[in-house]
mmCIF file of all heavy atoms in Angstrom:
data_model
loop_
_atom_site.group_PDB
_atom_site.id
_atom_site.type_symbol
_atom_site.label_atom_id
_atom_site.label_comp_id
_atom_site.label_asym_id
_atom_site.label_seq_id
_atom_site.Cartn_x
_atom_site.Cartn_y
_atom_site.Cartn_z
ATOM 1 N N PHE A 210 45.852 90.795 100.477
ATOM 2 C CA PHE A 210 46.168 89.368 100.401
ATOM 3 C C PHE A 210 46.558 88.982 98.975
ATOM 4 O O PHE A 210 47.441 88.137 98.773
ATOM 5 C CB PHE A 210 44.981 88.526 100.876
ATOM 6 C CG PHE A 210 45.361 87.105 101.208
ATOM 7 C CD1 PHE A 210 45.784 86.769 102.480
ATOM 8 C CD2 PHE A 210 45.320 86.112 100.243
ATOM 9 C CE1 PHE A 210 46.159 85.474 102.792
ATOM 10 C CE2 PHE A 210 45.693 84.812 100.539
ATOM 11 C CZ PHE A 210 46.109 84.491 101.823
ATOM 12 N N THR A 211 45.936 89.586 97.992
ATOM 13 C CA THR A 211 46.284 89.321 96.591
ATOM 14 C C THR A 211 47.743 89.692 96.331
ATOM 15 O O THR A 211 48.497 88.934 95.704
ATOM 16 C CB THR A 211 45.357 90.100 95.650
ATOM 17 O OG1 THR A 211 43.996 89.729 95.909
ATOM 18 C CG2 THR A 211 45.673 89.796 94.197
ATOM 19 N N ASP A 212 48.158 90.857 96.826
ATOM 20 C CA ASP A 212 49.557 91.266 96.690
ATOM 21 C C ASP A 212 50.479 90.285 97.411
ATOM 22 O O ASP A 212 51.576 89.972 96.931
ATOM 23 C CB ASP A 212 49.760 92.669 97.257
ATOM 24 C CG ASP A 212 49.072 93.746 96.416
ATOM 25 O OD1 ASP A 212 48.779 93.476 95.237
ATOM 26 O OD2 ASP A 212 48.824 94.835 96.961
ATOM 27 N N PHE A 213 50.016 89.806 98.551
ATOM 28 C CA PHE A 213 50.801 88.868 99.352
ATOM 29 C C PHE A 213 51.030 87.557 98.599
ATOM 30 O O PHE A 213 52.136 87.005 98.614
ATOM 31 C CB PHE A 213 50.073 88.616 100.672
ATOM 32 C CG PHE A 213 50.701 87.564 101.547
ATOM 33 C CD1 PHE A 213 52.017 87.685 101.960
ATOM 34 C CD2 PHE A 213 49.972 86.464 101.951
ATOM 35 C CE1 PHE A 213 52.596 86.713 102.769
ATOM 36 C CE2 PHE A 213 50.533 85.499 102.760
ATOM 37 C CZ PHE A 213 51.854 85.624 103.171
ATOM 38 N N VAL A 214 50.004 87.060 97.910
ATOM 39 C CA VAL A 214 50.155 85.812 97.143
ATOM 40 C C VAL A 214 51.185 85.996 96.034
ATOM 41 O O VAL A 214 52.015 85.113 95.790
ATOM 42 C CB VAL A 214 48.800 85.357 96.570
ATOM 43 C CG1 VAL A 214 48.984 84.171 95.623
ATOM 44 C CG2 VAL A 214 47.846 84.957 97.694
ATOM 45 N N SER A 215 51.155 87.142 95.378
ATOM 46 C CA SER A 215 52.166 87.418 94.349
ATOM 47 C C SER A 215 53.565 87.435 94.950
ATOM 48 O O SER A 215 54.531 86.947 94.341
ATOM 49 C CB SER A 215 51.880 88.766 93.675
ATOM 50 O OG SER A 215 50.650 88.727 92.978
ATOM 51 N N LYS A 216 53.678 87.974 96.157
ATOM 52 C CA LYS A 216 54.973 88.028 96.845
ATOM 53 C C LYS A 216 55.460 86.625 97.218
ATOM 54 O O LYS A 216 56.668 86.357 97.203
ATOM 55 C CB LYS A 216 54.860 88.908 98.097
ATOM 56 C CG LYS A 216 56.200 89.237 98.733
ATOM 57 C CD LYS A 216 56.073 90.320 99.787
ATOM 58 C CE LYS A 216 55.429 89.799 101.059
ATOM 59 N NZ LYS A 216 55.607 90.736 102.207
ATOM 60 N N LEU A 217 54.524 85.733 97.539
ATOM 61 C CA LEU A 217 54.897 84.352 97.859
ATOM 62 C C LEU A 217 55.631 83.708 96.694
ATOM 63 O O LEU A 217 56.638 83.018 96.876
ATOM 64 C CB LEU A 217 53.650 83.526 98.192
ATOM 65 C CG LEU A 217 52.963 83.777 99.523
ATOM 66 C CD1 LEU A 217 51.670 82.965 99.609
ATOM 67 C CD2 LEU A 217 53.874 83.426 100.679
ATOM 68 N N ARG A 218 55.128 83.937 95.486
ATOM 69 C CA ARG A 218 55.771 83.357 94.315
ATOM 70 C C ARG A 218 57.124 84.006 94.059
ATOM 71 O O ARG A 218 58.118 83.317 93.834
ATOM 72 C CB ARG A 218 54.893 83.500 93.079
ATOM 73 C CG ARG A 218 55.650 83.082 91.810
ATOM 74 C CD ARG A 218 54.779 82.906 90.614
ATOM 75 N NE ARG A 218 54.063 84.111 90.196
ATOM 76 C CZ ARG A 218 53.286 84.155 89.116
ATOM 77 N NH1 ARG A 218 53.127 83.063 88.390
ATOM 78 N NH2 ARG A 218 52.655 85.252 88.787
ATOM 79 N N SER A 219 57.176 85.318 94.109
ATOM 80 C CA SER A 219 58.402 86.012 93.720
ATOM 81 C C SER A 219 59.515 85.877 94.753
ATOM 82 O O SER A 219 60.692 85.745 94.394
ATOM 83 C CB SER A 219 58.112 87.502 93.477
ATOM 84 O OG SER A 219 57.620 88.127 94.652
ATOM 85 N N GLU A 220 59.158 85.867 96.044
ATOM 86 C CA GLU A 220 60.186 85.867 97.089
ATOM 87 C C GLU A 220 60.446 84.487 97.692
ATOM 88 O O GLU A 220 61.514 84.255 98.251
ATOM 89 C CB GLU A 220 59.806 86.861 98.188
ATOM 90 C CG GLU A 220 59.749 88.302 97.705
ATOM 91 C CD GLU A 220 59.558 89.297 98.822
ATOM 92 O OE1 GLU A 220 59.823 88.955 99.989
ATOM 93 O OE2 GLU A 220 59.125 90.441 98.525
ATOM 94 N N HIS A 221 59.479 83.586 97.597
ATOM 95 C CA HIS A 221 59.669 82.246 98.161
ATOM 96 C C HIS A 221 59.745 81.175 97.077
ATOM 97 O O HIS A 221 59.812 79.985 97.397
ATOM 98 C CB HIS A 221 58.529 81.908 99.143
ATOM 99 C CG HIS A 221 58.807 82.352 100.544
ATOM 100 N ND1 HIS A 221 59.105 81.478 101.559
ATOM 101 C CD2 HIS A 221 58.857 83.583 101.090
ATOM 102 C CE1 HIS A 221 59.306 82.147 102.675
ATOM 103 N NE2 HIS A 221 59.159 83.428 102.418
ATOM 104 N N ASP A 222 59.717 81.599 95.804
ATOM 105 C CA ASP A 222 59.819 80.658 94.687
ATOM 106 C C ASP A 222 58.766 79.555 94.793
ATOM 107 O O ASP A 222 59.041 78.380 94.572
ATOM 108 C CB ASP A 222 61.226 80.049 94.643
ATOM 109 C CG ASP A 222 61.513 79.367 93.310
ATOM 110 O OD1 ASP A 222 60.912 79.775 92.297
ATOM 111 O OD2 ASP A 222 62.313 78.410 93.288
ATOM 112 N N LEU A 223 57.548 79.963 95.153
ATOM 113 C CA LEU A 223 56.472 79.001 95.365
ATOM 114 C C LEU A 223 55.579 78.874 94.135
ATOM 115 O O LEU A 223 55.391 79.828 93.387
ATOM 116 C CB LEU A 223 55.593 79.431 96.544
ATOM 117 C CG LEU A 223 56.011 78.995 97.941
ATOM 118 C CD1 LEU A 223 55.048 79.590 98.959
ATOM 119 C CD2 LEU A 223 56.030 77.490 98.066
ATOM 120 N N THR A 224 55.020 77.702 93.972
ATOM 121 C CA THR A 224 53.935 77.453 93.025
ATOM 122 C C THR A 224 52.649 77.464 93.835
ATOM 123 O O THR A 224 52.610 76.909 94.945
ATOM 124 C CB THR A 224 54.130 76.104 92.324
ATOM 125 O OG1 THR A 224 55.410 76.099 91.684
ATOM 126 C CG2 THR A 224 53.044 75.853 91.302
ATOM 127 N N VAL A 225 51.604 78.090 93.318
ATOM 128 C CA VAL A 225 50.376 78.286 94.100
ATOM 129 C C VAL A 225 49.166 77.763 93.336
ATOM 130 O O VAL A 225 49.005 78.024 92.143
ATOM 131 C CB VAL A 225 50.165 79.782 94.436
ATOM 132 C CG1 VAL A 225 48.867 79.981 95.228
ATOM 133 C CG2 VAL A 225 51.353 80.336 95.223
ATOM 134 N N LEU A 226 48.311 77.026 94.052
ATOM 135 C CA LEU A 226 46.998 76.623 93.539
ATOM 136 C C LEU A 226 45.941 77.175 94.480
ATOM 137 O O LEU A 226 46.003 76.939 95.690
ATOM 138 C CB LEU A 226 46.879 75.100 93.457
ATOM 139 C CG LEU A 226 45.482 74.543 93.116
ATOM 140 C CD1 LEU A 226 45.026 75.013 91.739
ATOM 141 C CD2 LEU A 226 45.467 73.019 93.194
ATOM 142 N N MET A 227 44.988 77.916 93.936
ATOM 143 C CA MET A 227 43.941 78.537 94.749
ATOM 144 C C MET A 227 42.556 78.090 94.331
ATOM 145 O O MET A 227 42.273 77.973 93.141
ATOM 146 C CB MET A 227 43.974 80.066 94.614
ATOM 147 C CG MET A 227 45.144 80.772 95.207
ATOM 148 S SD MET A 227 44.768 82.556 95.343
ATOM 149 C CE MET A 227 44.240 82.953 93.674
ATOM 150 N N ILE A 228 41.695 77.849 95.318
ATOM 151 C CA ILE A 228 40.252 77.868 95.093
ATOM 152 C C ILE A 228 39.796 79.264 95.477
ATOM 153 O O ILE A 228 40.110 79.746 96.570
ATOM 154 C CB ILE A 228 39.521 76.829 95.974
ATOM 155 C CG1 ILE A 228 39.870 75.403 95.547
ATOM 156 C CG2 ILE A 228 38.009 77.041 95.903
ATOM 157 C CD1 ILE A 228 39.257 74.343 96.457
ATOM 158 N N GLU A 229 39.097 79.924 94.590
ATOM 159 C CA GLU A 229 38.722 81.308 94.864
ATOM 160 C C GLU A 229 37.419 81.656 94.154
ATOM 161 O O GLU A 229 37.154 81.178 93.054
ATOM 162 C CB GLU A 229 39.852 82.244 94.408
ATOM 163 C CG GLU A 229 39.643 83.704 94.722
ATOM 164 C CD GLU A 229 39.349 83.973 96.182
ATOM 165 O OE1 GLU A 229 40.234 83.761 97.033
ATOM 166 O OE2 GLU A 229 38.211 84.380 96.473
ATOM 167 N N HIS A 230 36.591 82.477 94.814
ATOM 168 C CA HIS A 230 35.330 82.933 94.213
ATOM 169 C C HIS A 230 35.410 84.363 93.700
ATOM 170 O O HIS A 230 34.626 84.757 92.834
ATOM 171 C CB HIS A 230 34.181 82.833 95.236
ATOM 172 C CG HIS A 230 33.591 81.464 95.340
ATOM 173 N ND1 HIS A 230 33.756 80.658 96.438
ATOM 174 C CD2 HIS A 230 32.846 80.755 94.464
ATOM 175 C CE1 HIS A 230 33.131 79.502 96.232
ATOM 176 N NE2 HIS A 230 32.567 79.540 95.046
ATOM 177 N N ASP A 231 36.327 85.144 94.245
ATOM 178 C CA ASP A 231 36.423 86.554 93.883
ATOM 179 C C ASP A 231 37.089 86.677 92.514
ATOM 180 O O ASP A 231 38.291 86.447 92.358
ATOM 181 C CB ASP A 231 37.232 87.308 94.942
ATOM 182 C CG ASP A 231 37.169 88.819 94.767
ATOM 183 O OD1 ASP A 231 37.199 89.281 93.610
ATOM 184 O OD2 ASP A 231 37.097 89.535 95.785
ATOM 185 N N MET A 232 36.312 87.080 91.502
ATOM 186 C CA MET A 232 36.836 87.122 90.143
ATOM 187 C C MET A 232 37.890 88.213 89.954
ATOM 188 O O MET A 232 38.761 88.099 89.094
ATOM 189 C CB MET A 232 35.701 87.306 89.133
ATOM 190 C CG MET A 232 34.806 86.086 88.979
ATOM 191 S SD MET A 232 35.742 84.561 88.632
ATOM 192 C CE MET A 232 36.491 84.943 87.053
ATOM 193 N N LYS A 233 37.850 89.271 90.770
ATOM 194 C CA LYS A 233 38.904 90.281 90.690
ATOM 195 C C LYS A 233 40.251 89.670 91.074
ATOM 196 O O LYS A 233 41.282 89.968 90.463
ATOM 197 C CB LYS A 233 38.577 91.463 91.608
ATOM 198 C CG LYS A 233 37.482 92.374 91.085
ATOM 199 C CD LYS A 233 37.308 93.577 91.984
ATOM 200 C CE LYS A 233 36.220 94.506 91.444
ATOM 201 N NZ LYS A 233 36.036 95.691 92.336
#
């Protein structure tokens, strides 16, 4: 899923805001 979020930005030109607990 982490790789997928990076792909969202690069391929869909998206800006992303996440709430997340996993520090990795």
